[in-house]
Structure formats: structure tokens, C-alpha cells
Amino acid sequence: MAEILETALYAADLEQAARFYEDVVGLPRVTAEPGRHVFLRAGRAMLLIFCPTASSQPAAPGRIAVPLHGAAGPGHVCFAAEPLGIDGWAARLAEAGIAVEARVQWPHGPRSIYCRDPAGNSVEFAESTLWPV
């Protein structure tokens, strides 16, 4: 079975997005290339935030030739709510001045809350029982 090693979101203002994921979500920055990407550690995985205009351009000579990629419109990422729990994340978001966009009680019991990052991506915090692992 494969495990997700990294996932990507896109943001035109990388530093604004990075501050959200560092300061609010608590992810440590691993590396960054100004104007192109910011990479953050998310547990055993990585959250990659790319500038969509930069990642859709060919690599400069001498750089690693990663295939072009990018996205238009908001993406989505979901973080396990533990150990803070849904109420803890809701309080943390409120302290940071970030509105909870939606609260969901899933039919099989778990809860989720949703907000937006500065780039408009949908950010979910869900109880880990959302998906049987």
C-alpha cells in the first residue's frame, strides 16, 4: 500500500501562505526558494506550497528538471485534529483571527472544521476517525 509522502498547494504569495502554515498550523519550514516554493514538514509527510506561475515554467538551466505542474482555483488539505481536538483547533483559529467556514458532523460520527488559508485553499481539521486507517 502506498502512503502519501508529499502533497502540494498553490499560492501566489508564498510568504503569506507559509506564515499561516507555520504560525497557525505549526508546521516547521524545511526549505524555500523565494518566488517558487516553500516546503513544510507535516508529521511524516511534507506540505509543498508552490507559486503556480513559477511551477508551470520549465526549470532554469542547471536546476532539477521537475515536470511542470500547477493548479487554478482553491485546493484542499486536511490535517488530523489530534492532539488539540476540534475545539482546540477552533480556538486556535479564532485566536489567529481566522474564521471557521464550516463545521461538519459526519454520518459515522467524526467531526471536521474548515477554514481558508491566505491563498483561498480549503483547510480542514478532522478527527482521525474520519477515515479508517
Side-chain angles (χ1 to χ4, degrees):
M1 175 177 68
E3 183 175 322
I4 293 177
L5 180 61
E6 63 187 30
T7 192
L9 293 174
Y10 297 86
D13 188 329
L14 291 173
E15 281 307 310
Q16 185 182 38
R19 280 192 304 276
F20 171 83
Y21 289 101
E22 290 173 310
D23 298 345
V24 178
V25 182
L27 304 182
R29 185 183 298 215
V30 173
T31 189
E33 184 176 319
R36 187 173 191 292
H37 65 255
V38 176
F39 296 169
L40 304 125
R41 168 84 40 214
R44 292 176 32 158
M46 295 292 294
L47 175 62
L48 313 179
I49 305 173
F50 288 98
C51 175
T53 55
S55 64
S56 63
Q57 299 298 313
R63 305 292 296 186
I64 298 171
V66 175
L68 304 181
H69 56 85
H76 173 75
V77 65
C78 178
F79 296 101
E82 291 78 19
L84 290 182
I86 294 296
D87 297 331
W89 277 108
R92 188 168 179 158
L93 293 170
E95 288 170 14
I98 298 164
V100 170
E101 183 178 39
R103 294 175 181 269
V104 175
Q105 175 83 45
W106 297 99
H108 60 293
R111 298 178 300 154
S112 294
I113 58 173
Y114 292 80
C115 67
R116 297 282 169 174
D117 74 7
N121 292 301
S122 174
V123 180
E124 178 183 6
F125 297 90
E127 292 174 329
S128 60
T129 54
L130 178 62
W131 296 106
V133 190

